[in-house]
Amino acid sequence: MTTEAGSETEVKEKAEESAAEPDQSEKATEDSQEVANAEVEEKEKAKVKEKEGKEGKGISRYLPTWLKKQKSQSQTSPTKEAPPTEEPVSEVTQEEEGPAPEVNGHAEEVEEKEEVKSEQVKENEAETHSNASADTEPAKEEKVEESAEKSPEETKETTEGEGAEEETKEKEGAVEAEGEAGEGQTSIFQSPLRLVRKNKMKLVVCHVTLLDGTDFTCEVEKRAKGQYLFFKVCEHLNLLEKDYFGLTYKDNHDQKCWLDPTKEIKRQIRSNNWQFAFNVKFYPPDPSLLTEDITRYLLCLQLREDVASGRLPCSFVTHALLGSYTLQAEIGDYEPDQPRPLDFISQLTFAPNQNKEMEEKILELYKSHRGMTPAQADTQFLENAKKLSMYGVDLHHAKDSEGVDIMLGVCANGLLVYKDRLRINRFAWPKILKISYKRNNFYIKIRPGETEQFESTVGFKLQNHRAAKRLWKVCVENHSFFRLNAPEAPTKARFLTLGSKFRYSGRTQAQTRMASSLIDRPAPSFERTSSKRISRSLDGAPMISITEAGRESAENGREPHLELHSDSKVTVVDVSPGDAEAMPSQHSPGSSELGPPQPNQWEKRLTSSPATIRLQQQQVSLAEEIASVLFSRHTDIGLYSTAKAACIFPEPPLDAVKTTSSAATSSSAAVCSFSAPQRPLATLSTALSATEVSVPQTEAATADNTISDTKEPAKTTEVEIEETVVVQEISRAPKPGLVTVAASTPAAPSAEQEMREQEVEVQEEAVVVEEAKPRKEESISSESESEEEAEYHPYLPVSISHTQIPEEKEEEEEQEKQEEDKMPELQVLASDASSLPAEVIQPAEETRREEAESRKEDDTETEMTANAEEEKEFERETEESTDDPMVTPDEAPNGLTLPEEGVTVMDAHAEEEEEPKMNGEPTLTEAEPLPQVICCSEPPVVKTEMVTISDTFAAQKTEIATKEVPIVHTETKTITYEAAQLDGNGDGEPGVLMTAQTITSESLCTTTTTHITKTLKGGLSETRIEKRIVITGDCDIDHDQALAQAIKEAKEQHPDMSVTRVVVHKETELAEED
Amino acid sequence: MANMCPYGHFTHAVVRGIPETFGKKAGDGQENGEVSVDLAKAQRQFGCLTGALRQKVGLQLIEIPPDPELPESWKIEDVAVIQGDTALITRPFKQQRQSEVEAVRRVMSELNLTVVEMDGEQGDSVGATLEGSDILFTGREFFVGISSHTNRRGAEVLADTFRDFAVSTVPVCDGARLKNICSMGGPNTIIFSNSDGAKKTLRMMEQLTDHHYDVLTVPEESAANCIYIKGPSKRDFLLHRPADECPDSVSAFQKLQDYTLLPTACSEASKLGASLSSLCLLVNRKHTYF
């Protein structure tokens, strides 16, 4: 795999050709690398070129990237069986590393290895080189396959033990990278000198200017993606709500550009100036909704800078007021006896035209803030700043159609047009149908107004093509972030199509809000350092010191943490000390990830429980990512369910949550063990993990397993998604490619994957997943950079949906829940709807299904084993639960309730579970009869109250026969508030899932599924959009409120929508152990 | 932002009496041949307005004595734009009116407002003209009607003065003034005339704003100009044209919940293109931050 990855990148480089080559050489020099290095690289390139030349000759250049990649793959495959010519050792190493594809630097590592090899082989011919690489790849594939094939234990051990460590290290940064490189080299038997050189070559020192004016320096691999550096910075800042932020760099024309997290840094900066700035990218319209003070603090820092520099204009009074809050936050209460406060104030910059009068006003107001805490002062600052009319408006110079100078402002609400300071027009996002640019022209297509018949296009001229593209990108990102529930999938690449496929790949505001609502950590204490800008040390000491109390609470494994886990926060699970203590043996030392020079609390915790740790490649930030992944999964689930029978599984989210929470509380050890075994599986088959997670009815034990899987799968999952898409595009029939997918999942980018990436380019999740990104980069980056025009449709066309698809879906649904894995894919597709045909979804599902099934079994086994090791009882329970078919889910939606049969009450379980906890602290949840509290290890007993808005399709829903699914007895009450007939046709109508989103909070899960049906009647095509909103939650839910909220939101999106049916479904699940 | 609070909180009203030269064109001293106005009636109506502001609404009233040399000085709204504790002294379109600002400037200073001058003679704002009756302040943003009396330069000066707020320019049709076709009817309500020109302006405002306003449409254009004040008593007052001046619109005002409606005649001033709001400047001196 590694080799292949390397070759791919190189191919890509080749594609970029002139641009890439100079870059590389420059960088090499810059890095203080000897010219020799550059030469080596070039040689490598040359080799690659030779290779390609053989394959496709010059023509390959003109072919779409994915084609190229295919070719390369084909090449490799034959080779792969050939005995490894060069170093068997290296293969082994690679194998070990294989499972670590999730790591950011992974692809890069591979490349490094390749390079190393190349150096070794320098003298050898290019062919040998290629062969060697080919060899390595096959090894990985084999391994993957094995793991996929149900060697859970083995996979676990190998993967966890070594792979985990490696992964962690990779994430860690320069030091780690070096370590890895060192390992790889040793295995290869390279000479130490060379090793050293190579390491140096690969690493680049990045300087990031933080918001407080300090400089953060870190080393990254040359090929690192933007995301990697960004995560390093966020980690340094201890920032969890990082989606509002981004890194900027200055391009060759001194223009500030956003660093694309999904692309290699090197390819973006286009210079050797590895200088970045950490900035707010999306200004939250209501900062009070941010979860953490530290996030608000960082936003404050940005705004202070904006205000002081004049970017954010404000009046004298506002300057004074904001300045006074700044003083209060930075200095604390006004000290009356301070000698000459004005002198001090005048040293600070509050406004571009600061004067004595303003300083006096600031002082006057500052005195009135006595008693206000820094956090309160920050909040007040933001409350005032957010109302400024230019708050969060990103201005771009332009000319209108008549050549008049104007400014275009991009903000959360849309596009603003200013002439001087006057707002002369405004295009709200809902009014914009399309955003595009061509050369230096920027166009927006406007939805026709009430009185107008035709849509109109407004064009603006920008200074140059780069400015137009930059503006376009900012628009795409802002629209996606503020308007969409989930990021839109990238447009499918069409053959020979020009244009940027750039899409926002991060989380949307809705998603990040949900994610941050799950943040459960003691508020990190941080120093407000703006007044100490100069004095701050760059040594990388952790900025944030965690208080002991906070740590304790975190470690105790109390409910909140558990809940977080359920949500997707892996971190919590890891953190719980109980795990580490109870099952030290199981934990593999994955702590290496923690590697960041300054271990903060999280890291420390992680270290205590090694097993979990390696999962977190990105450390603290990982938790969030995971959360996001989970979300996506949920969404997928939601889609799936809707697609099937339109029946909603209220249970799934709850179960997952419950399981997680319980697991965390009762036996963290069990969880850990699960995660370890599953991990390899997860890597191999993302689908499985996803499925499990998504499956609502899985019992607690299953849930635990799932959860652990989820952590890792996040990255993997994304990859799979991409793959699926590809399959669909290529051929609708389900490909045997399942194997391929698995193989590809690991770091090595297979040709197929690449192809997919190219096509799929836009994967929202991709941002989260580092692995996915590298591939994307390769395929995408070259293209997007060169294009001169691109389009973006904020709105998805409804008409696209295909009838065929829904039918297939139903069938699949029936088969197994595992298919739910598809959901993510569906999502992506749906979002792309404009570009992507709905059909795609089906094939993917099938494929996945197969995979999922096999994997499920594996997982189950793994789980079992893990359990056995730790707790026999637990294991037994788990097995039972897993094996049991899921009865509840199917029935529940249908409205069929199973009579209460000997059902164990949750509480009992909870008590039992308490014992397992090492901490000995009973969880609050346990004490409470609430269903949520279910303890993890114990048999899955679930009491659930669910509010369900049932779909028309509910009847269609088929039973899902999953071996692993635990049997759950359910009491169900279904209250139907309103029933509409709209659904009459819902039964078999083909439709397309346009979007599906699930938002999960601790107690509430909302799944929104948009189902588009297109019917042909007498030559008239009728398009119907059905939106199903399923709110699932436990008893705590205020049904009415949740419902009202959901309907309100839906109404906002679709004013014409009518509520057809509202069903409240109360379900009490009582699960018994057999 | 510091200055942002719901529209309608005022403590003071500044008015200027009706001079004997009422109805004569400023500067030429000639009788306005087209319109015959009743000076006494105008003064009575003025008295009613000030009485309502002082006694019903409870504002402190500052009355600048009339100046016969300035026949249009009673349209005091035109010469200053006040928001928060900042008063922008405008530059009326008619040169003869530009000396009206002096008395107003003094009063603004006495009220401890930060007085901002508009320099139309030099610099960036050469030729800038701005009149308060072309400006609608909603509490969250400014709309400037680009009219015969207010130009874009003037609007830019306004935007530069009140930097916290979005300043949007909107077209005003048929030679009208922005305040003739709309006015604030509540913290979140804009009263709009139903005329076609007004509709155009309204559409533009709807497109330009980031905020949501309720729109109260009145059939008669003269009814669209009201004075909304949330007085010191925290009650909602609306001064509007009486039923005999706009019979069809009174019912619309009665839709406003819990308002104290104060019918105020303004027939004579309106003959000269003015309206209720033209007659006063509203000031809030109890401004609190946050």
Side-chain angles (χ1 to χ4, degrees):
Chain A
M1 280 189 49
T2 27
T3 353
E4 190 171 332
S7 68
E8 283 187 2
T9 12
E10 290 180 0
V11 174
K12 179 185 175 181
E13 289 180 1
K14 186 187 175 183
E16 292 188 359
E17 288 183 355
S18 60
E21 286 195 29
D23 259 25
Q24 264 201 347
S25 58
E26 283 184 11
K27 288 177 182 175
T29 339
E30 177 187 329
D31 295 356
S32 74
Q33 298 302 331
E34 299 76 6
V35 185
N37 289 337
E39 289 180 359
V40 175
E41 286 188 2
E42 289 185 1
K43 283 188 178 179
E44 278 191 3
K45 285 184 182 176
K47 291 178 182 178
V48 181
K49 286 181 179 176
E50 286 184 5
K51 226 207 269 181
E52 285 205 352
K54 294 178 182 178
E55 297 175 4
K57 319 254 166 169
I59 300 176
S60 63
R61 280 165 54 181
Y62 304 101
L63 292 177
T65 338
W66 63 270
L67 274 181
K68 286 186 193 170
K69 284 172 184 175
Q70 249 191 349
K71 284 185 178 178
S72 67
Q73 209 190 7
S74 62
Q75 253 198 351
T76 45
S77 58
T79 349
K80 110 183 173 183
E81 294 191 350
T85 352
E86 295 209 358
E87 315 90 10
V89 183
S90 67
E91 282 191 2
V92 178
T93 342
Q94 288 182 354
E95 283 189 4
E96 291 178 357
E97 293 180 356
E102 303 157 358
V103 182
N104 294 340
H106 183 79
E108 295 152 30
E109 285 187 7
V110 179
E111 282 194 359
E112 283 190 10
K113 284 188 178 179
E114 231 200 353
E115 287 189 0
V116 177
K117 286 183 180 178
S118 66
E119 279 196 2
Q120 279 187 341
V121 192
K122 231 184 199 176
E123 299 169 359
N124 297 346
E125 294 180 358
E127 292 183 357
T128 330
H129 176 76
S130 64
N131 283 341
S133 62
D135 290 350
T136 42
E137 199 188 29
K140 270 196 178 179
E141 281 189 359
E142 289 180 4
K143 186 185 178 179
V144 177
E145 289 181 3
E146 286 182 3
S147 59
E149 291 179 355
K150 310 166 185 175
S151 57
E153 291 182 358
E154 290 183 359
T155 333
K156 275 197 233 169
E157 292 180 1
T158 4
T159 333
E160 287 189 356
E162 298 175 357
E165 287 186 2
E166 289 184 1
E167 289 183 1
T168 354
K169 290 178 181 178
E170 288 182 0
K171 288 239 169 181
E172 289 317 337
V175 182
E176 292 180 0
E178 286 187 7
E180 282 190 358
E183 289 182 1
Q185 292 177 356
T186 6
S187 60
I188 305 176
F189 298 110
Q190 288 245 349
S191 72
L193 286 177
R194 284 187 181 175
L195 292 177
V196 178
R197 281 186 185 177
K198 291 213 168 179
N199 289 340
K200 286 183 180 178
M201 271 192 57
K202 294 293 180 175
L203 295 178
V204 177
V205 177
C206 293
H207 298 277
V208 182
T209 305
L210 302 179
L211 288 169
D212 61 0
T214 60
D215 212 19
F216 170 70
T217 307
C218 71
E219 288 181 310
V220 301
E221 293 177 19
K222 238 184 162 183
R223 293 195 178 279
K225 299 193 171 157
Q227 187 182 26
Y228 177 77
L229 178 61
F230 180 63
F231 283 156
K232 295 288 288 185
V233 175
C234 291
E235 172 193 315
H236 172 73
L237 295 169
N238 202 6
L239 174 64
L240 291 185
E241 295 174 285
K242 53 182 181 293
D243 301 279
Y244 300 97
F245 300 86
L247 293 176
T248 60
Y249 64 94
K250 292 268 181 80
D251 68 8
N252 294 336
H253 306 271
D254 209 36
Q255 289 292 330
K256 198 183 82 169
C257 301
W258 290 107
L259 191 67
D260 188 332
T262 64
K263 294 183 184 172
E264 287 182 23
I265 299 170
K266 186 181 66 175
R267 297 195 187 287
Q268 299 182 61
I269 58 177
R270 303 245 174 196
S271 68
N272 278 328
N273 185 16
W274 290 68
Q275 185 80 42
F276 306 92
F278 180 79
N279 288 113
V280 174
K281 188 173 190 181
F282 304 111
Y283 289 75
D286 190 353
S288 64
L289 295 181
L290 296 174
T291 299
E292 295 202 298
D293 284 340
I294 190 171
T295 316
R296 267 186 289 273
Y297 168 66
L298 292 172
L299 179 58
C300 275
L301 290 179
Q302 175 74 66
L303 287 167
R304 285 174 196 162
E305 168 65 20
D306 292 345
V307 168
S309 67
R311 275 196 302 274
L312 180 56
C314 48
S315 65
F316 174 87
V317 178
T318 304
H319 271 307
L321 186 66
L322 295 179
S324 68
Y325 286 126
T326 300
L327 284 181
Q328 182 70 23
E330 296 283 346
I331 304 172
D333 286 350
Y334 170 73
E335 298 290 345
D337 50 350
Q338 176 153 353
R340 304 179 63 183
L342 275 182
D343 290 352
F344 166 68
I345 292 175
S346 60
Q347 292 172 359
L348 303 173
T349 306
F350 299 100
N353 49 355
Q354 186 169 331
N355 54 26
K356 213 66 185 169
E357 185 188 4
M358 181 178 292
E359 287 162 11
E360 286 169 1
K361 187 74 176 173
I362 290 172
L363 183 61
E364 173 195 333
L365 293 169
Y366 168 45
K367 289 175 184 173
S368 71
H369 299 327
R370 269 187 81 85
M372 198 176 279
T373 67
Q376 287 172 328
D378 279 348
T379 302
Q380 286 300 323
F381 179 97
L382 294 174
E383 284 305 297
N384 284 282
K386 79 176 186 190
K387 295 177 188 165
L388 295 168
S389 76
M390 299 303 285
Y391 171 83
V393 178
D394 184 16
L395 288 177
H396 297 252
H397 287 279
K399 290 182 193 296
D400 66 11
S401 55
E402 296 169 352
V404 178
D405 283 322
I406 56 167
M407 299 285 278
L408 293 176
V410 185
C411 67
N413 296 323
L415 189 64
L416 304 168
V417 185
Y418 292 92
K419 183 170 185 308
D420 297 315
R421 307 201 89 120
L422 300 175
R423 184 185 292 183
I424 58 174
N425 214 339
R426 173 178 176 273
F427 304 99
W429 293 128
K431 288 272 289 179
I432 299 178
L433 289 170
K434 188 171 94 175
I435 310 167
S436 58
Y437 74 96
K438 186 170 186 178
R439 292 190 292 277
N440 66 332
N441 294 305
F442 175 79
Y443 302 101
I444 52 176
K445 186 184 276 185
I446 309 298
R447 182 185 298 277
E450 298 171 356
T451 59
E452 306 154 27
Q453 261 190 322
F454 303 103
E455 48 206 22
S456 55
T457 298
V458 183
F460 303 95
K461 265 206 174 352
L462 278 89
Q463 286 166 327
N464 50 48
H465 137 260
R466 288 187 315 277
K469 181 178 179 182
R470 196 165 51 237
L471 171 59
W472 178 80
K473 277 182 154 184
V474 170
C475 284
V476 169
E477 292 187 318
N478 274 270
H479 172 267
S480 298
F481 185 80
F482 290 111
R483 286 286 300 174
L484 300 182
N485 285 327
E488 183 181 354
T491 330
K492 274 192 181 178
R494 291 167 218 142
F495 295 79
L496 301 179
T497 303
L498 295 178
S500 172
K501 295 154 204 154
F502 172 83
R503 290 292 183 272
Y504 177 61
S505 55
R507 274 188 281 188
T508 65
Q509 181 176 238
Q511 288 172 325
T512 195
R513 278 184 181 164
M514 289 311 303
S516 55
S517 72
L518 303 178
I519 291 178
D520 183 29
R521 65 169 180 182
S525 64
F526 54 90
E527 215 177 343
R528 285 174 164 79
T529 51
S530 75
S531 54
K532 308 171 185 174
R533 283 182 185 180
I534 306 168
S535 63
R536 191 178 211 168
S537 65
L538 304 179
D539 56 354
M543 300 175 40
I544 303 174
S545 59
I546 301 173
T547 57
E548 293 245 345
R551 190 184 298 170
E552 287 181 4
S553 62
E555 290 181 357
N556 290 341
R558 292 180 181 178
E559 281 192 1
H561 294 290
L562 297 177
E563 292 179 359
L564 293 177
H565 292 292
S566 64
D567 290 352
S568 65
K569 273 206 172 183
V570 180
T571 332
V572 179
V573 178
D574 297 345
V575 176
S576 62
D579 297 348
E581 295 178 0
M583 319 278 208
S585 61
Q586 290 183 351
H587 299 289
S588 61
S591 54
S592 59
E593 287 187 358
L594 298 179
Q598 326 138 350
N600 42 10
Q601 290 185 350
W602 290 94
E603 295 177 358
K604 291 177 182 177
R605 299 176 192 166
L606 295 177
T607 357
S608 62
S609 61
T612 7
I613 295 172
R614 45 172 165 157
L615 294 180
Q616 303 173 343
Q617 297 173 348
Q618 302 162 351
Q619 299 178 350
V620 181
S621 59
L622 288 180
E624 290 186 359
E625 295 180 359
I626 296 167
S628 64
V629 174
L630 290 179
F631 288 125
S632 62
R633 300 260 164 76
H634 287 291
T635 321
D636 296 348
I637 298 168
L639 291 174
Y640 186 55
S641 61
T642 37
K644 292 178 180 178
C647 297
I648 304 166
F649 303 81
E651 302 167 356
L654 292 176
D655 295 352
V657 176
K658 293 176 180 178
T659 38
T660 358
S661 62
S662 62
T665 21
S666 62
S667 62
S668 55
V671 178
C672 293
S673 63
F674 285 111
S675 63
Q678 291 177 351
R679 181 189 178 179
L681 295 175
T683 338
L684 299 177
S685 62
T686 340
L688 286 178
S689 60
T691 325
E692 291 180 359
V693 176
S694 59
V695 178
Q697 296 113 356
T698 4
E699 292 184 0
T702 329
D704 294 352
N705 294 336
T706 337
I707 295 169
S708 60
D709 291 354
T710 330
K711 302 172 180 178
E712 298 175 355
K715 298 176 179 180
T716 340
T717 317
E718 294 178 355
V719 176
E720 286 186 358
I721 295 171
E722 291 179 356
E723 294 175 355
T724 357
V725 176
V726 177
V727 174
Q728 294 173 352
E729 291 180 356
I730 299 175
S731 61
R732 295 183 183 177
K735 276 192 175 181
L738 295 178
V739 178
T740 349
V741 175
S744 62
T745 340
S750 64
E752 290 184 359
Q753 289 181 349
E754 291 181 357
M755 293 174 54
R756 298 170 188 170
E757 291 177 356
Q758 294 177 348
E759 297 177 355
V760 181
E761 293 176 356
V762 185
Q763 285 189 350
E764 304 163 355
E765 296 175 358
V767 179
V768 181
V769 180
E770 294 178 356
E771 294 182 356
K773 294 178 180 178
R775 300 171 187 174
K776 292 179 180 177
E777 282 191 10
E778 295 177 2
S779 59
I780 300 172
S781 61
S782 58
E783 298 176 359
S784 59
E785 308 269 355
S786 58
E787 8 91 342
E788 288 193 341
E789 52 178 272
E791 292 182 356
Y792 175 73
H793 298 260
Y795 286 87
L796 306 176
V798 180
S799 58
I800 299 172
S801 61
H802 297 267
T803 44
Q804 301 173 352
I805 299 172
E807 296 177 357
E808 293 181 0
K809 288 180 181 178
E810 292 179 358
E811 295 177 0
E812 293 178 358
E813 292 174 358
E814 294 178 359
Q815 292 178 353
E816 288 187 2
K817 295 177 181 178
Q818 297 173 350
E819 297 174 0
E820 292 175 356
D821 299 353
K822 307 168 185 175
M823 300 308 291
E825 299 176 358
L826 292 177
Q827 255 193 325
V828 177
L829 295 175
S831 56
D832 287 359
S834 56
S835 58
L836 299 180
E839 306 160 359
V840 179
I841 301 169
Q842 298 176 349
E845 290 181 353
E846 293 180 358
T847 333
R848 286 188 176 181
R849 189 199 306 166
E850 296 177 359
E851 294 181 358
E853 292 179 358
S854 61
R855 289 171 189 176
K856 272 190 175 181
E857 294 177 358
D858 295 345
D859 291 356
T860 326
E861 293 179 1
T862 1
E863 293 178 1
M864 300 294 291
T865 10
N867 294 340
E869 294 177 357
E870 297 182 356
E871 296 179 0
K872 292 180 181 179
E873 291 181 358
F874 181 89
E875 179 182 350
R876 180 188 51 177
E877 293 177 358
T878 318
E879 290 181 1
E880 292 178 358
S881 63
T882 329
D883 295 348
D884 296 352
M886 300 172 47
V887 180
T888 344
D890 297 348
E891 294 181 359
N894 294 338
L896 302 175
T897 9
L898 295 178
E900 299 180 358
E901 297 177 1
V903 179
T904 358
V905 182
M906 297 297 296
D907 297 352
H909 292 288
E911 293 177 358
E912 294 177 0
E913 294 174 358
E914 289 181 0
E915 296 177 359
K917 288 184 179 181
M918 296 306 294
N919 297 340
E921 294 185 0
T923 351
L924 299 176
T925 350
E926 292 178 359
E928 299 173 0
L930 298 179
Q932 305 167 346
V933 184
I934 303 170
C935 296
C936 53
S937 60
E938 297 304 327
V941 178
V942 181
K943 272 190 177 181
T944 316
E945 280 191 4
M946 298 162 33
V947 181
T948 308
I949 303 175
S950 68
D951 301 351
T952 21
F953 299 99
Q956 298 177 349
K957 189 179 182 181
T958 50
E959 294 183 359
I960 302 172
T962 312
K963 296 176 182 179
E964 299 109 356
V965 178
I967 301 176
V968 182
H969 302 284
T970 314
E971 288 185 1
T972 312
K973 290 181 184 177
T974 303
I975 304 171
T976 305
Y977 289 121
E978 250 184 74
Q981 294 70 6
L982 293 182
D983 297 339
N985 45 354
D987 49 340
E989 283 214 45
V992 177
L993 287 178
M994 294 301 292
T995 62
Q997 178 165 12
T998 305
I999 301 172
T1000 310
S1001 62
E1002 295 175 359
S1003 60
L1004 188 64
C1005 173
T1006 306
T1007 302
T1008 305
T1009 306
T1010 308
H1011 192 90
I1012 299 183
T1013 312
K1014 188 176 180 183
T1015 324
L1016 285 177
K1017 291 180 181 176
L1020 294 178
S1021 73
E1022 177 183 351
T1023 305
R1024 189 160 141 258
I1025 306 178
E1026 285 180 4
K1027 193 161 197 152
R1028 294 200 186 79
I1029 307 169
V1030 181
I1031 307 165
T1032 309
D1034 36 25
C1035 348
D1036 291 339
I1037 294 183
D1038 180 341
H1039 301 167
D1040 296 329
Q1041 187 185 344
L1043 190 61
Q1045 177 67 17
I1047 292 176
K1048 183 185 161 204
E1049 290 175 1
K1051 282 271 186 188
E1052 286 175 359
Q1053 289 184 337
H1054 308 286
D1056 299 330
M1057 181 198 77
S1058 62
V1059 176
T1060 313
R1061 200 174 178 204
V1062 177
V1063 177
V1064 175
H1065 185 79
K1066 278 192 182 182
E1067 187 168 306
T1068 308
E1069 295 181 357
L1070 301 179
E1072 255 199 0
E1073 302 176 0
D1074 290 359
Chain B
M1 145 202 28
N3 291 324
M4 197 165 284
C5 61
Y7 179 85
H9 292 275
F10 299 109
T11 56
H12 294 66
V14 181
V15 298
R16 191 161 196 178
I18 307 282
E20 306 153 6
T21 51
F22 178 75
K24 296 178 180 170
K25 281 189 178 173
D28 59 6
Q30 298 297 316
E31 188 81 21
N32 189 330
E34 299 174 2
V35 185
S36 67
V37 292
D38 182 338
L39 172 62
K41 190 174 179 186
Q43 288 176 330
R44 271 203 310 279
Q45 289 174 347
F46 176 78
C48 289
L49 170 66
T50 56
L53 290 173
R54 179 165 43 205
Q55 294 169 5
K56 301 272 180 55
V57 180
L59 299 183
Q60 296 191 40
L61 199 71
I62 299 169
E63 182 167 350
I64 302 174
D67 184 346
E69 299 299 313
L70 302 171
E72 295 187 69
S73 59
W74 51 272
K75 293 197 274 187
I76 194 171
E77 180 187 38
D78 280 337
V79 296
V81 180
I82 302 166
Q83 192 284 317
D85 57 3
T86 301
L88 171 66
I89 305 299
T90 68
R91 188 163 179 273
F93 174 70
K94 288 186 192 169
Q95 201 149 17
Q96 299 86 344
R97 293 195 64 191
Q98 288 175 7
S99 49
E100 292 177 15
V101 301
E102 290 161 12
V104 174
R105 181 186 298 127
R106 273 198 306 277
V107 173
M108 296 296 112
S109 298
E110 287 169 8
L111 284 170
N112 270 327
L113 295 174
T114 304
V115 176
V116 177
E117 299 289 343
M118 186 169 157
D119 186 359
E121 306 299 330
Q122 55 187 0
D124 290 339
S125 51
V126 174
T129 60
L130 183 72
E131 294 189 3
S133 52
D134 280 317
I135 296 163
L136 178 71
F137 177 64
T138 69
R140 303 174 203 172
E141 62 189 320
F142 286 94
F143 292 101
V144 180
I146 301 302
S147 71
S148 53
H149 292 69
T150 296
N151 59 24
R152 197 171 291 279
R153 284 259 168 82
E156 285 168 14
V157 174
L158 181 80
D160 213 34
T161 305
F162 302 104
R163 294 174 170 227
D164 294 347
F165 299 91
V167 177
S168 305
T169 55
V170 296
V172 181
C173 305
D174 306 331
R177 315 297 298 276
L178 182 61
K179 275 293 200 70
N180 285 345
I181 57 172
C182 66
S183 63
M184 293 306 288
N188 206 25
T189 303
I190 303 178
I191 299 171
F192 240 97
S193 157
N194 202 23
S195 69
D196 288 344
K199 282 181 184 167
K200 272 185 198 165
T201 304
L202 174 60
R203 267 200 299 278
M204 196 60 196
M205 286 171 61
E206 284 174 336
Q207 171 156 354
L208 283 165
T209 184
D210 293 324
H211 308 286
H212 174 78
Y213 302 100
D214 297 325
V215 175
L216 179 68
T217 309
V218 292
E220 289 136 323
E221 182 162 305
S222 59
N225 183 288
C226 300
I227 300 174
Y228 167 79
I229 300 167
K230 195 177 216 40
S233 55
K234 299 295 176 196
R235 287 160 61 197
D236 297 311
F237 294 96
L238 188 75
L239 282 71
H240 65 90
R241 306 290 287 275
D244 58 337
E245 294 184 15
C246 43
D248 299 335
S249 300
V250 174
S251 59
F253 297 131
Q254 287 164 352
K255 292 178 192 164
L256 297 167
Q257 296 288 319
D258 299 328
Y259 272 51
T260 303
L261 298 177
L262 301 173
T264 309
C266 191
S267 59
E268 299 309 304
S270 69
K271 289 177 186 172
L272 300 174
S275 198
L276 278 176
S277 68
S278 307
L279 294 162
C280 62
L281 286 168
L282 299 172
V283 183
N284 180 15
R285 285 310 297 147
K286 279 190 182 174
H287 190 77
T288 51
Y289 298 107
F290 352 82

